[in-house]
Amino acid sequence: MSEAPVIIIGGGLAGATAASELRERGYVGAVTLIAGEEHLPYERPPLSKDFLQGSSELPDFTVHDAQWYAEHDIDLLLGTRVEAIDRTAKRVTLDGGGTLDYVQLVLATGSRANPSGGIAGADLPGVRVLRTIDDARALREDLKEGTRLVIVGSGWIGMEAAASARQQGAEVTVISPSRIPLGNVLGEPFGNHLTRMHQEAGVQFELATHVDRIERGADQLVVHAGSWQTGADLVLLAIGASPHLEVAAASGIETDHGVVVDASLRSSDPDVLAVGDIAQAFNTTLRRQLRVEHWDNAIRQGKLAAATLTGADEQYDWLPYFFTDQFELGMEYVGDRQDGDADVVRGDMDEGEFIMFWLREGRITAAMNVNIWDVNDTLRSLVGQRIDPERLQDTSIELGQLAAGQ
């Protein structure tokens, strides 16, 4: 075997994909994948959706089984954390005191759930976060018919968990400082549509409301938001996530909101790459640094890192993509919507099947298909084009015609 060891720090989807793609590209050097959790690398989207609903189990979304890593000669260190990186010696120190040498290093340390947001009582029993399979398993075990669940936060995790818990028969209240759930991400029309759907399914909302503290009562948790309060059996803090940057920053690698990397994912140290949630990477299509915390990006950047490590000339040039499933709504989004972009709806939102476009100065910046399938690749091809909004709204004109400029 070649003496050119690659170490990948992080056992999530991005790290596992990088390891897989190295072997797929014929790399024969030593590959070590260091995973902080005791579990084999797995995908995270099911944690707030299928797994929380009880319709899937961990093996269903584990990237590879243990035999695959053995067969592909990948040294997998589970339940192990890196405490320090010595870039001069090209050596990492493990939490058990051992060290490993590398020629090239991939940082895929992911993100952690924000634990408190300054809310007093966030460490009380029954107050949870949802980031790992262990978090999701504990929450699922406690969700029963009639369980009173208060979710603090109305982002992706909060809204997906609300839908899943309600489908399990829990009584769900979402408290959020946002006026419109996901309105800052996808605009008011879609945010209002999503909120109405949740309300029709029995989810209660207290919006534009800041939680001050959580207290333990005689037989329940009590969530306080100013003069308003409510009782709960469980509280889920879904108030965002922060990238694991401590080890990278301590090593002297340039960091900002993430590890700053170029279009090939190399950091300020060319022998250190970063992928996934922590990578603040230069996107050659959008011409700016971008940090994206989504499933698709983890896979694509994992593959790009392997390409870079094996000498291929590839770049981070794709548009962000994400998806969600909540109650009867399934959607896919592609693009780079920003505040102020104009909303254009194709179809009838009340019917539940529609496409949304966002335009900036007449050019499509993003698109989203809702309960309409097998069109996202076409929508991707439309992003960046100038198309009259009336043509976008006209369902008698096929999407393929719009993409072809007809």
Side-chain angles (χ1 to χ4, degrees), residues 9 20 23 76 86 140 143 170 188-189 210 232 246 271 289 292 327 362:
I9 303 176
S20 303
R23 292 299 187 229
L76 184 60
D86 184 337
R140 187 174 78 170
L143 282 177
E188 292 192 10
H210 291 265
E246 293 79 6
D271 293 324
Q289 301 291 137
V292 177
F327 297 114

Side-chain angles (χ1 to χ4, degrees), residues 23-357:
R23 292 299 187 229
E24 187 70 23
R25 288 176 173 266
Y27 183 76
V28 296
V31 177
T32 300
L33 181 60
I34 303 173
E37 295 184 55
E38 296 286 353
H39 307 285
L40 293 168
Y42 59 89
E43 301 181 13
R44 296 189 189 274
L47 300 184
S48 55
K49 297 190 277 290
D50 297 349
F51 181 82
L52 196 58
Q53 295 167 26
S55 58
S56 70
E57 297 298 333
L58 181 57
D60 298 324
F61 49 93
T62 294
V63 181
H64 298 295
D65 60 23
Q67 183 178 350
W68 184 93
Y69 291 99
E71 290 175 348
H72 290 81
D73 200 20
I74 293 172
D75 191 9
L76 184 60
L77 305 182
L78 299 178
T80 304
R81 298 187 181 278
V82 170
E83 291 195 340
I85 301 168
D86 184 337
R87 294 191 293 114
T88 301
K90 291 194 172 182
R91 181 174 298 132
V92 300
T93 300
L94 307 179
D95 55 359
T99 61
L100 293 172
D101 295 333
Y102 67 87
V103 170
Q104 297 193 94
L105 184 67
V106 179
L107 302 177
T109 48
S111 297
R112 68 171 68 84
N114 292 335
S116 70
I119 299 171
D123 57 348
L124 288 171
V127 181
R128 310 290 180 78
V129 295
L130 180 53
R131 184 67 188 178
T132 70
I133 183 64
D134 294 332
D135 294 335
R137 184 175 285 125
L139 182 60
R140 187 174 78 170
E141 288 175 355
D142 288 339
L143 282 177
K144 305 290 192 298
E145 184 80 28
T147 297
R148 295 172 301 164
L149 173 66
V150 169
I151 299 175
V152 182
S154 60
W156 292 114
I157 296 299
M159 296 297 281
E160 289 174 353
S164 295
R166 189 73 190 105
Q167 287 171 282
Q168 294 295 90
E171 298 177 9
V172 180
T173 300
V174 174
I175 306 174
S176 175
S178 299
R179 184 172 59 86
I180 300 173
L182 292 172
N184 62 323
V185 179
L186 295 174
E188 292 192 10
F190 181 76
N192 286 328
H193 174 79
L194 191 66
T195 303
R196 286 193 299 271
M197 182 187 69
H198 275 254
Q199 290 172 326
E200 289 169 0
V203 177
Q204 303 295 312
F205 286 90
E206 288 293 332
L207 300 174
T209 302
H210 291 265
V211 173
D212 304 314
R213 67 189 188 279
I214 304 167
E215 296 178 344
R216 168 59 68 180
D219 58 355
Q220 65 178 353
L221 293 164
V222 181
V223 181
H224 295 266
S227 60
W228 182 89
Q229 67 180 48
T230 189
D233 301 308
L234 296 170
V235 176
L236 175 63
L237 300 180
I239 50 180
S242 300
H244 284 283
L245 300 177
E246 293 79 6
V247 172
S251 75
I253 292 169
E254 183 184 359
T255 61
D256 183 24
H257 300 295
V259 176
V260 179
V261 294
D262 63 17
S264 63
L265 303 181
R266 291 196 186 277
S267 72
S268 55
D269 180 337
D271 293 324
V272 180
L273 285 68
V275 297
D277 289 3
I278 67 166
Q280 187 174 332
F282 184 77
N283 185 290
T284 58
T285 296
L286 299 174
R287 306 300 302 171
R288 62 184 176 88
Q289 301 291 137
L290 200 64
R291 191 175 73 83
V292 177
E293 297 180 347
H294 291 295
W295 169 88
D296 177 72
N297 192 63
I299 294 173
R300 288 176 179 255
Q301 287 194 343
K303 291 183 176 182
L304 176 56
T308 297
L309 291 170
T310 53
D313 184 17
E314 299 182 17
Q315 295 184 323
Y316 175 36
D317 59 0
W318 58 86
L319 293 168
Y321 165 93
F322 58 83
F323 68 94
T324 192
D325 296 293
Q326 300 176 36
F327 297 114
E328 299 303 316
L329 181 146
M331 73 78 150
E332 298 174 291
Y333 164 102
V334 61
D336 184 44
R337 177 199 172 274
Q338 301 290 319
D339 287 344
D341 290 359
D343 304 272
V344 176
V345 179
R346 177 186 175 94
D348 189 343
M349 295 182 77
D350 291 337
E351 293 296 323
E353 296 182 1
F354 57 93
I355 292 172
M356 290 196 70
F357 295 95

